């Protein structure tokens, strides 16, 4: 029987977390059929053996996608997406989990009764693996006070926080967006894989939030946005701003949004120039920044002047946390 919902789970080196992720999906209480499609990207920590075991035990429920060599997060996600069969797609990456056994039922019920809605998401818990701190109902209790008005502008400005592991969306809508703009969704230019999807869905349909924590996002010590490799994090957020600029141009959005992301990208580029000791990149960023701040000048002249760089080398330690 064809599933109503396809749960998409990509994983790489998640041996510590993958069992909980899979079990949280299998334990969903629903009155419809669903499948779990796992894209395993040649993990080296035992993740592959774990997912093979589950796939063998739940042959009618789990489909496993893998290969003989690592293909990277973007390609792994795309090849997993291509085999989904459900009318709806739910996401749960291998290091996250759903603490609510009624998550799928609640979200699918809403979509079934609201044809104007293309995507429904929820609040979530945030668990920091390093110290095991948990922030419950993150969107409700976060000091940044995210607003529950998921239009394209709020999404691109980060004012509306849609987390992947909380989302259920119409597969037909997702498929149309990917088909119409392969550069945005399949090209390696943009490292971010989900924000552009939420943004474009908001232009095609309504998006609704369930104000209840249905999933838990685990913040790992090492990820695209959390890393000891500061250059890796900088490149990710530069790419994110470039993606937002692309969407602004594509859909003729408010120029203010584009200006904000151009400013973010240029300043992060200046920091990247410092960490890579790239004088040419520093000069490019310097010319693009419309109004240099004191710390921008510090970054710039520290890159341009080798003596000053030696004197100010401890400066980099002050910026290990990157904020957009």
């Amino acid at each position: 029987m064809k599933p109503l919902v396809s749960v998409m789970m990509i994983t790489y080196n998640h041996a510590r977390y993958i069992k909980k992720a899979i079990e949280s999906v299998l334990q969903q209480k629903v009155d419809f059929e669903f499948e779990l499609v796992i894209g395993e990207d040649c993990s080296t920590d035992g993740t592959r053996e774990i997912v093979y075991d589950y796939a063998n035990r739940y042959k009618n429920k789990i489909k496993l996608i893998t290969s003989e060599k690592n293909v990277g997060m973007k390609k792994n996600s795309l090849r997993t997406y291509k085999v989904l069969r459900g009318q709806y797609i739910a996401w749960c990456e291998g290091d996250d989990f759903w603490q609510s056994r009624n998550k799928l039922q609640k979200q699918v019920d809403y979509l079934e009764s609201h044809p104007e809605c293309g995507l429904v998401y929820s609040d979530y818990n945030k668990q920091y693996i390093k110290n095991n701190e948990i922030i419950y109902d993150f969107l409700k209790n976060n000091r940044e006070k995210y607003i529950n008005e998921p239009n394209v502008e709020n999404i691109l400005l980060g004012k509306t926080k849609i987390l992947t592991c909380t989302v259920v969306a119409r597969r037909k809508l997702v498929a149309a967006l990917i088909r119409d703009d392969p550069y945005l969704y399949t090209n390696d230019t943009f490292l971010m894989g989900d924000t552009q999807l939420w943004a474009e869905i908001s232009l095609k349909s309504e998006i609704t939030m369930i104000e209840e924590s249905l999933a838990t996002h685990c913040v790992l010590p090492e990820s695209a946005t959390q890393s000891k490799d500061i250059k890796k994090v900088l490149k990710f957020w530069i790419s994110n701003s470039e993606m937002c600029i692309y969407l602004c141009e594509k859909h003729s959005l408010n120029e203010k949004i584009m200006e904000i992301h151009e400013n973010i990208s240029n300043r992060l580029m200046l920091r990247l120039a410092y960490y890579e000791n790239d004088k040419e990149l520093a000069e490019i960023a310097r010319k693009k920044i419309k109004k240099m701040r004191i710390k921008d000048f510090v970054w710039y002249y520290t890159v341009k002047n080798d003596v000053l760089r030696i004197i100010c080398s401890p400066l980099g330690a002050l910026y290990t946390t990157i904020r957009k």
Side-chain angles (χ1 to χ4, degrees):
M1 183 180 295
K2 189 175 180 180
L4 181 66
V5 179
S6 292
V7 181
M8 179 171 157
M9 180 179 292
I10 59 171
T11 183
Y12 174 71
N13 282 356
H14 290 151
R16 180 179 172 184
Y17 319 101
I18 191 67
K19 289 183 180 180
K20 194 168 188 177
I22 294 173
E23 290 288 349
S24 75
V25 174
L26 295 177
Q27 292 175 11
Q28 290 295 298
K29 296 180 179 180
V30 296
D31 59 13
F32 51 79
E33 292 292 323
F34 71 89
E35 65 177 355
L36 171 57
V37 183
I38 303 174
E40 199 289 314
D41 200 14
C42 290
S43 301
T44 59
D45 68 344
T47 299
R48 172 169 285 201
E49 289 74 16
I50 295 171
V51 296
Y52 264 122
D53 176 58
Y54 272 96
N56 288 329
R57 285 193 283 138
Y58 297 90
K59 293 181 179 179
N60 295 327
K61 183 69 70 175
I62 297 176
K63 182 176 181 61
L64 182 59
I65 308 298
T66 188
S67 58
E68 295 303 314
K69 63 179 182 178
N70 180 275
V71 298
M73 184 174 67
K74 196 75 170 282
K75 290 182 179 179
N76 186 32
S77 180
L78 286 169
R79 69 181 181 178
T80 304
Y81 157 77
K82 287 179 180 179
V83 304
L84 305 181
R85 300 179 296 148
Q87 181 178 337
Y88 302 108
I89 305 175
W91 286 263
C92 183
E93 296 186 352
D95 53 349
D96 294 328
F97 64 92
W98 299 340
Q99 74 270 10
S100 171
R101 293 189 175 191
N102 299 311
K103 177 185 182 297
L104 281 186
Q105 188 70 59
K106 288 183 177 183
Q107 292 180 295
V108 170
D109 283 349
Y110 187 89
L111 289 167
E112 289 279 87
S113 61
H114 294 79
E116 73 283 358
C117 182
L119 181 155
V120 60
Y121 69 108
S122 73
D123 205 339
Y124 60 94
N125 299 341
K126 196 168 188 177
Q127 181 174 353
Y128 293 88
I129 298 301
K130 189 174 182 179
N131 58 11
N132 204 34
E133 177 191 2
I134 301 176
I135 300 176
Y136 295 94
D137 303 293
F138 182 80
L139 297 181
K140 178 181 178 181
N141 297 318
N142 190 273
R143 66 177 183 273
E144 294 184 46
K145 298 300 179 185
Y146 294 105
I147 58 177
N148 302 330
E149 297 177 9
N151 58 46
V152 66
E153 293 187 1
N154 290 337
I155 292 170
L156 294 184
L157 291 175
K159 294 180 179 180
T160 296
K161 185 69 173 178
I162 301 177
L163 196 68
T164 306
C165 66
T166 73
V167 171
V168 178
R170 299 183 188 276
R171 184 166 69 91
K172 187 175 182 180
L173 180 56
V174 172
L177 292 171
I178 295 175
R179 181 195 64 232
D180 292 345
D181 195 344
Y183 174 74
L184 179 60
Y185 293 102
T186 67
N187 193 286
D188 289 332
T189 301
F190 303 121
L191 301 179
M192 181 72 78
D194 52 12
T195 299
Q196 58 265 55
L197 186 57
W198 315 151
E200 291 211 302
I201 287 177
S202 75
L203 292 169
K204 298 288 186 179
S205 71
E206 290 185 9
I207 292 180
T208 298
M209 176 186 175
I210 294 177
E211 295 185 9
E212 176 185 351
S213 179
L214 302 177
T216 293
H217 171 55
C218 296
V219 181
L220 309 187
E222 182 64 35
S223 68
T225 58
Q226 301 281 332
S227 178
K228 293 180 180 179
D229 183 354
I230 196 68
K231 292 186 287 187
K232 173 184 173 182
V233 178
L234 285 166
K235 289 176 182 177
F236 179 86
W237 288 116
I238 290 170
S239 175
N240 178 69
S241 284
E242 290 174 345
M243 178 270 294
C244 292
I245 292 168
Y246 173 86
L247 285 173
C248 287
E249 294 175 339
K250 176 181 177 180
H251 297 291
S252 301
L253 302 179
N254 190 323
E255 291 184 1
K256 184 64 177 179
I257 302 174
M258 184 182 298
E259 290 176 7
I260 289 172
H261 279 289
E262 286 175 344
N263 194 36
I264 291 171
S265 178
N266 293 334
R267 287 198 157 93
L268 293 181
M269 195 183 302
L270 193 56
R271 293 189 190 183
L272 181 62
Y274 167 82
Y275 286 105
E276 294 191 334
N277 196 21
D278 189 332
K279 293 180 174 60
E280 184 177 351
L281 182 61
E283 195 61 43
I284 293 172
R286 165 74 175 85
K287 291 179 179 178
K288 287 184 175 182
I289 296 175
K290 294 180 179 179
K291 187 176 181 181
M292 292 279 283
R293 300 173 298 189
I294 293 175
K295 60 182 178 180
D296 296 326
F297 280 112
V298 173
W299 287 113
Y300 175 72
Y301 285 112
T302 304
V303 177
K304 298 292 286 186
N305 189 302
D306 292 334
V307 175
L308 187 60
R309 181 178 180 83
I310 294 172
I311 296 173
C312 298
S313 58
L315 176 68
L318 299 176
Y319 291 96
T320 55
T321 300
I322 301 302
R323 294 173 182 263
K324 290 196 289 178

